[in-house]
Amino acid sequence: MNEEQFRAAMARLAAGVVLVTAYDPEDGPRGAYVGMTATAFVSVSLDPPLVLLSVRTGSRMDELLERRDVWAANLLAENQRQTAGRFAMKGRLSDHLLFRELPHTPGEAAEAPLVHGALAHLECRTEQRHLAGDHTLLVARVLTAEVPGVDGTPLTYYQGRYRALR
């Protein structure tokens, strides 16, 4: 098996799309928000409430979450496709500019942006980090969970494209 075969097989697995956000208090005089689109995000346990997030090892988000253990996961709605795409782009605009255009509220537990229009927000604290190939797996305790009452269906990722459930 080669990388292309593995990628083609895994493209057949539909995944929910999450905007992971964090606050970096060391970035500039007032700190800065950081964001990353993720599809490798799953529930692990109900008691205690745990989730698992996979981030590329050495990425800005990985480096930040190694220093700061609190972050948020915004479960995106199908009408937030553009937001997902912007935070997934390589060589994108600065996160500062992206967050300036994105309506959000800082969470109380993690100080990370909770994106308006998301289907749910989870504020999390990393409890374990595991290296796994070219990614780092974060097992995190859910500190707060909010379902803001937004109508809509989830944004999903399937065969290399964002899609809506129909």
Side-chain angles (χ1 to χ4, degrees):
M1 183 202 59
N2 60 38
E3 184 178 313
E4 189 174 305
Q5 291 168 318
F6 179 64
R7 186 182 305 254
M10 294 310 297
R12 299 317 192 264
L13 178 63
V17 181
V18 175
L19 180 61
V20 178
T21 60
Y23 172 68
D24 185 354
E26 298 175 16
D27 188 345
R30 286 180 271 172
Y33 292 139
V34 178
M36 174 195 88
T37 301
T39 56
F41 178 81
V42 295
S43 170
V44 173
S45 168
L46 188 58
D47 185 19
L50 299 174
V51 293
L52 180 125
L53 170 67
S54 178
V55 298
R56 180 172 292 282
T57 302
S59 66
R60 181 169 185 209
M61 186 62 78
D62 179 45
E63 291 172 0
L64 173 56
L65 296 183
E66 191 168 19
R67 288 187 284 113
R68 187 158 167 85
D69 64 355
V70 290
W71 47 277
N74 298 274
L75 285 58
L76 298 182
E78 69 176 316
N79 64 351
Q80 294 176 308
R81 184 179 309 218
Q82 186 176 31
T83 297
R86 285 182 175 174
F87 281 92
M89 286 174 31
K90 293 181 179 168
R92 66 180 185 247
L93 296 172
S94 74
D95 284 2
H96 173 75
L97 294 175
L98 292 175
F99 279 111
R100 194 166 61 187
E101 297 176 3
L102 183 64
H104 64 276
T105 304
E108 290 185 26
E111 300 178 90
L114 304 179
V115 177
H116 298 183
L119 298 177
H121 307 119
L122 302 172
E123 291 184 277
C124 306
R125 173 174 284 114
T126 301
E127 293 194 345
Q128 299 173 35
R129 292 176 58 90
H130 303 278
L131 291 179
D134 58 2
H135 277 66
T136 302
L137 305 178
L138 306 176
V139 177
R141 181 177 298 262
V142 178
L143 303 173
T144 68
E146 176 190 30
V147 179
V150 174
D151 287 332
T153 58
L155 181 61
T156 59
Y157 193 74
Y158 179 72
Q159 290 190 322
R161 292 184 30 213
Y162 296 115
R163 300 173 188 259
L165 293 178
R166 300 272 183 235

